[in-house]
Amino acid sequence: MKKLGFGLMRLPEADGKIDIEELKKMVDTFMAEGFTYFDTAWMYCGFQSECAVKEALVDRYPRDSFTLADKLHGSFFSTREGRDEIFNEQLRKTGVSYFDYYLLHDIGEGHYKQYTDLDCFTWLQEKKAQGLVRHIGFSYHDNAELLDKVLTEHPEFEFVQLQLNYLDWDSEGVQSRKCYEVCVKHGKPVVVMEPVKGGTLAKVPADVEKTFKDYAPHMSVPSWAIRFAASHENVFMVLSGMSNMQQMQDNISYMKDFKPLTEEEKQIVHKAVDQINATIAIACTACSYCTDGCPMNIPIPRYFSLYNIDLKESEEKGWNPQGEYYGRLTQVYGAADQCIGCGQCESVCPQHLPIIKHLGEVAEYFKDKM
């Protein structure tokens, strides 16, 4: 398969509803150019994405001509019976008799326990044995240590869907690189989500855009983000949420005959990251000197990283994952608002940051985002 997948979380709209006729044109363009991977989920587009898939894709193309991925999300069921209720409804809504790829959606500390308690791992293997699912995997928004635990305990998974982009690559909060390396260690291929961070990396600061355009005037700003993700050897698919034909045609232009980033282009991306990070709100270098002696076990650099990243998100994007990452960290570590102001962290910070003040800002910022 070509490495570009059609992410069906953000679709063209007209009068507040999915524009099915425009979506059909986009599906036709995508398929005509040799791309076949479509990714949907139960709650996408106000629970209407799966129905749109049926109308724009499934009812119009032979089943063996496209690849469809769907997901089971723990927020929408609480019993073993609920697993099948949702799965059967997904088959009905999409109009298919099987899914090529099926994922346990958003595994993290909380959902991992739920999926374990409700035996979703055995359940998913049974769906595969029944021919209702071809390949089983999961999407992931949490730290690399837990990912290693999940893949060690469940080697039956065939792939992992990760948030991966050049801004999150070395983030202590998101840990894209570390999670990618865990997948490589376990021999699990990666599907990339959020390669452009929901549009954030399509609207970069002016100096970053100039860096890209000076090198390749004909290449779009988003192309650097998608090619960065696709250039990793263990990545087999990069999902892009294309909400209009212009975005799709741009993506197709450089992904139809995909060429990985050259070494020179990688250096340009590194420069772009430095330029973006130079404008961050909290200038933490993630040295972690502050965490060893923290009496409340607060992962200070991780919280600062998530805060900095979230402030860079595009206002039009809507949902951002950083609040979810923050909430999950607070299940294992002390929350930012649990700081007792002892000053131990500030006494050892090489950057001389007002850490106590910043933790207060982080706590207030993420209060309503979890």
Side-chain angles (χ1 to χ4, degrees):
M1 288 187 291
K2 294 180 183 292
K3 272 193 170 185
L4 178 65
F6 195 164
L8 300 165
M9 185 169 71
R10 304 177 182 94
L11 295 176
E13 293 186 356
D15 299 323
K17 298 180 180 179
I18 296 173
D19 188 339
I20 293 295
E21 294 309 311
E22 181 66 12
L23 180 58
K24 287 179 180 178
K25 294 176 185 177
M26 293 173 70
V27 167
D28 292 344
T29 299
F30 197 67
M31 294 284 285
E33 295 290 354
F35 298 92
T36 62
Y37 193 102
F38 296 82
D39 174 271
T40 188
W42 178 249
M43 73 292 244
Y44 286 178
C45 300
F47 300 90
Q48 294 304 305
S49 177
E50 292 164 328
C51 297
V53 168
K54 182 178 189 302
E55 192 169 350
L57 174 67
V58 177
D59 288 348
R60 301 172 62 241
Y61 286 90
R63 182 62 185 92
D64 61 358
S65 66
F66 62 86
T67 302
L68 184 61
D70 210 334
K71 311 176 189 76
L72 179 75
H73 196 291
S75 296
F76 301 97
F77 69 98
S78 57
T79 64
R80 297 191 178 202
E81 293 75 19
R83 304 169 307 183
D84 283 302
E85 290 172 4
I86 290 177
F87 185 86
N88 292 335
E89 183 65 3
Q90 289 176 309
L91 289 175
R92 186 195 68 78
K93 288 171 70 176
T94 58
V96 298
S97 59
Y98 67 90
F99 295 109
D100 298 280
Y101 293 83
Y102 197 81
L103 301 84
L104 295 181
H105 202 169
D106 194 19
I107 283 186
E109 287 286 352
H111 282 154
Y112 188 45
K113 182 180 186 305
Q114 177 186 358
Y115 292 144
T116 300
D117 290 346
L118 296 178
D119 200 19
C120 293
F121 304 103
T122 301
W123 174 84
L124 189 52
Q125 291 179 82
E126 290 172 350
K127 294 299 182 192
K128 181 180 177 181
Q130 295 165 5
L132 297 172
V133 173
R134 297 282 176 86
H135 302 284
I136 61 175
F138 62 92
S139 62
Y140 191 78
H141 285 293
D142 215 314
N143 63 74
E145 184 178 0
L146 177 62
L147 179 58
D148 189 45
K149 172 183 168 69
V150 173
L151 289 175
T152 298
E153 295 179 352
H154 293 283
E156 69 272 14
F157 281 119
E158 298 171 81
F159 67 99
V160 180
Q161 188 161 304
L162 291 177
Q163 177 169 323
L164 192 159
N165 55 71
Y166 63 72
L167 194 57
D168 291 332
W169 185 244
D170 286 313
S171 160
E172 273 303 305
V174 179
Q175 298 191 349
S176 285
R177 176 179 58 79
K178 291 180 179 179
C179 287
Y180 173 80
E181 289 171 351
V182 168
C183 291
V184 172
K185 168 188 168 183
H186 287 271
K188 307 299 180 183
V190 170
V191 176
V192 171
M193 56 184 165
E194 299 289 340
V196 194
K197 287 183 69 67
T200 297
L201 298 183
K203 300 176 182 178
V204 296
D207 59 338
V208 178
E209 182 172 359
K210 184 177 186 303
T211 295
F212 289 147
K213 291 297 184 180
D214 284 349
Y215 181 82
H218 62 290
M219 295 298 292
S220 69
V221 170
S223 72
W224 288 87
I226 291 178
R227 288 181 63 224
F228 172 86
S231 294
H232 291 86
E233 185 177 355
N234 203 49
V235 167
F236 81 91
M237 187 60 57
V238 177
L239 302 177
S240 178
M242 298 170 275
S243 54
N244 58 57
M245 183 65 79
Q246 182 181 1
Q247 291 175 359
M248 172 167 283
Q249 289 174 335
D250 178 54
N251 287 353
I252 287 173
S253 69
Y254 52 83
M255 291 301 290
K256 183 177 180 180
D257 299 305
F258 170 68
K259 294 180 176 59
L261 293 176
T262 64
E263 288 303 315
E264 185 176 8
E265 288 172 324
K266 290 177 183 177
Q267 292 304 311
I268 290 172
V269 169
H270 291 321
K271 179 181 177 182
V273 172
D274 289 341
Q275 289 174 299
I276 294 173
N277 285 338
T279 63
I280 62 176
I282 302 176
C284 173
T285 61
C287 69
S288 293
Y289 291 170
C290 57
T291 58
D292 290 342
C294 176
M296 304 307 293
N297 193 28
I298 300 173
I300 297 167
R302 292 194 188 184
Y303 289 164
F304 288 173
S305 173
L306 292 173
Y307 178 73
N308 286 330
I309 290 170
D310 207 71
L311 289 176
K312 294 292 183 184
E313 293 278 27
S314 168
E315 293 182 2
E316 294 84 6
K317 180 180 175 181
W319 174 82
N320 298 325
Q322 282 75 233
E324 194 166 316
Y325 279 104
Y326 176 80
R328 286 176 175 167
L329 282 170
T330 63
Q331 296 175 30
V332 181
Y333 301 96
D337 62 3
Q338 292 178 310
C339 172
I340 59 174
C342 69
Q344 182 276 336
C345 53
E346 294 185 358
S347 70
V348 297
C349 176
Q351 310 303 318
H352 306 291
L353 297 175
I355 295 176
I356 297 170
K357 172 177 174 288
H358 288 323
L359 282 173
E361 294 166 352
V362 169
E364 182 64 25
Y365 183 83
F366 283 114
K367 182 172 60 177
D368 299 319
K369 289 180 175 285
M370 293 186 287

